[in-house]
Amino acid sequence: MMISKQLLLTYFYLFVYIVLSSGVILYNKWVLSPKYFNFPLPITLTMIHMGFSGLVAFFLIRVFKVVSPVKMTLEIYATCVIPISAFFAASLWFGNTAYLFISVAFIQMLKALMPVATFVMAVICGTDKLRSDVFLNMFLVSIGVVISSYGEINFNIVGTVYQVTGIFAEALRLVLTQVLLQKKGLTLNPITSLYYIAPCSFVFLFIPWYLLEKPEMEVSQIQFNFWIFFSNALCALALNFSIFLVIGRTGAVTIRVAGVLKDWILIALSTLIFPESTITTLNITGYAIALCGVVMYNYLKIKDVRAAQLPVDNVIDRTAKELKMEKKSSDLYLPDDNADSTNSLDSTVDEEAPFIPSTRVSHLGRSNLSS
């Protein structure tokens, strides 16, 4: 029963992530597009998001004391938080800039490359292994994206480069976040995550903002509506919470596979909200091919996770049976503390499967990343 509740909660987090992510993407496109609100400053918009998120997290932790800050060492901050913040800032910067050049529908088609990028980064970081069957699936995804790009009527090389760069930055950020939350033994909830990461990302964004967008803001008239930017930042804050919640319960690849469903929804919605977004048959064909590769890849990884967990379950079952046989045959007295330890072992296997404590990271951490 506990497993069903945990799975239900995980699916709920995924649903919330899909809704919020779709809303933020459409909202950002509307704000940045010259045809609508006309605020063509993606770095500034991203800095507003990070500043607002960091400020809310600060008040929740330091003022209202909703949660307590974690014991952050200088080593963990330097080796984990700073790199994650840098790639988080880069993925948001490049991703938001792409809205100035290409349509939402085409951006979502390009995002089919995310599992490819995540797999490549996982192999580079040593959290996954390079295999021929997985490589073929990734090749199929890449071919589908190429076909979809070839069928794009309003293809723009600059926007495409921005989006692909943002995809790889996001993939590396996801893998590093997985390592931070699980392999380092550091427990970060969404509030403490933003407390440490958002201000650092703001600092990383300040340099390109000062060089690229500050001069433009001084010479051009930029309209500013408090309620629009406040609501936009609020949606982005909720999305950041949902992302960290989903990553904490699943894996970097799983959230991207869930993102594929979100991409289909966005492709349909973007054509209704933004009439300039034109979808061709070649676009859909290429994206469908890419989706087939993603589904096949996810199926292989699920098989790997189940295969890796079966021997553990068999050993536990066999050990429990041997203990029962030994007690029955020799009629030995089993102390209460030993019985409690056996029960806790069983409950750990059954109830803590979605969560990976530090004592089990070495065995299950890699499988969870690939789920």
Side-chain angles (χ1 to χ4, degrees):
M1 189 65 178
M2 288 297 296
I3 297 179
S4 299
K5 289 182 179 179
Q6 298 292 350
L7 288 175
L8 220 60
L9 190 59
T10 300
Y11 287 133
F12 173 74
Y13 286 157
L14 287 171
F15 172 76
V16 171
Y17 158 73
I18 291 174
V19 172
L20 289 174
S21 182
S22 302
V24 169
I25 288 173
L26 294 173
Y27 204 168
N28 287 349
K29 173 65 175 179
W30 183 83
V31 171
L32 293 170
S33 177
K35 295 182 179 181
Y36 298 96
F37 187 72
N38 191 22
F39 186 81
L41 302 173
I43 304 177
T44 304
L45 183 65
T46 307
M47 289 180 68
I48 292 174
H49 293 171
M50 292 297 96
F52 180 77
S53 299
L55 187 63
V56 171
F58 174 82
F59 274 97
L60 290 176
I61 292 177
R62 295 298 182 182
V63 179
F64 300 105
K65 301 186 184 302
V66 176
V67 294
S68 301
V70 300
K71 294 181 178 179
M72 179 68 66
T73 64
L74 182 61
E75 178 188 2
I76 293 179
Y77 192 86
T79 59
C80 295
V81 175
I82 291 180
I84 287 174
S85 301
F87 288 109
F88 189 35
S91 65
L92 294 174
W93 169 21
F94 294 130
N96 285 335
T97 304
Y99 291 125
L100 300 176
F101 303 95
I102 53 181
S103 66
V104 172
F106 185 49
I107 285 175
Q108 304 317 125
M109 294 178 186
L110 289 175
K111 284 184 179 180
L113 284 173
M114 182 58 75
V116 179
T118 305
F119 174 71
V120 171
M121 293 303 173
V123 171
I124 293 175
C125 294
T127 59
D128 210 338
K129 295 181 180 180
L130 183 62
R131 293 163 35 188
S132 58
D133 53 352
V134 176
F135 178 79
L136 289 176
N137 285 333
M138 297 298 96
F139 181 74
L140 180 62
V141 173
S142 302
I143 290 297
V145 172
V146 170
I147 294 174
S148 181
S149 302
Y150 183 78
E152 176 63 19
I153 296 178
N154 301 314
F155 181 81
N156 184 286
I157 186 64
V158 176
T160 302
V161 170
Y162 268 118
Q163 183 59 42
V164 172
T165 305
I167 286 172
F168 276 90
E170 172 73 357
L172 186 53
R173 196 271 299 181
L174 287 172
V175 175
L176 290 178
T177 301
Q178 191 81 2
V179 173
L180 172 64
L181 291 177
Q182 297 183 350
K183 289 197 171 182
K184 291 292 184 179
L186 183 65
T187 302
L188 290 179
N189 59 49
I191 300 176
T192 54
S193 297
L194 289 177
Y195 176 75
Y196 292 107
I197 293 175
C200 193
S201 298
F202 183 91
V203 173
F204 277 109
L205 289 167
F206 180 82
I207 299 175
W209 173 82
Y210 186 83
L211 297 175
L212 300 176
E213 293 190 358
K214 183 177 181 293
E216 184 178 350
M217 295 178 67
E218 294 175 349
V219 298
S220 60
Q221 292 183 346
I222 302 296
Q223 60 175 330
F224 187 88
N225 186 302
F226 172 80
W227 292 111
I228 287 180
F229 286 102
F230 175 76
S231 59
N232 184 262
L234 190 63
C235 292
L237 174 66
L239 174 59
N240 288 330
F241 283 172
S242 69
I243 289 175
F244 281 108
L245 284 172
V246 172
I247 292 177
R249 298 185 65 87
T250 59
V253 176
T254 302
I255 190 175
R256 297 322 308 172
V257 173
V260 173
L261 175 60
K262 174 208 69 179
D263 295 340
W264 277 111
I265 296 173
L266 271 172
I267 289 173
L269 288 177
S270 63
T271 57
L272 299 175
I273 299 175
F274 307 108
E276 67 274 11
S277 298
T278 304
I279 300 177
T280 65
T281 304
L282 206 55
N283 283 143
I284 299 299
T285 302
Y287 190 63
I289 294 174
L291 181 61
C292 290
V294 172
V295 172
M296 292 171 60
Y297 171 72
N298 195 45
Y299 173 73
L300 286 176
K301 303 312 290 183
I302 290 175
K303 286 181 61 178
D304 292 342
V305 172
R306 290 177 177 174
Q309 291 177 348
L310 278 177
V312 180
D313 297 337
N314 291 338
V315 169
I316 294 173
D317 292 339
R318 186 166 59 251
T319 303
K321 290 179 181 179
E322 289 176 356
L323 286 174
K324 291 179 181 179
M325 291 293 295
E326 181 180 355
K327 181 179 178 181
K328 185 176 181 180
S329 60
S330 58
D331 198 24
L332 292 177
Y333 172 73
L334 187 63
D336 292 339
D337 55 349
N338 290 341
D340 291 340
S341 64
T342 305
N343 293 335
S344 65
L345 177 62
D346 294 337
S347 64
T348 299
V349 174
D350 292 336
E351 297 177 10
E352 294 186 12
F355 308 97
I356 303 180
S358 57
T359 55
R360 298 171 63 203
V361 164
S362 60
H363 176 70
L364 293 179
R366 182 170 303 173
S367 298
N368 191 48
L369 177 61
S370 305
S371 61

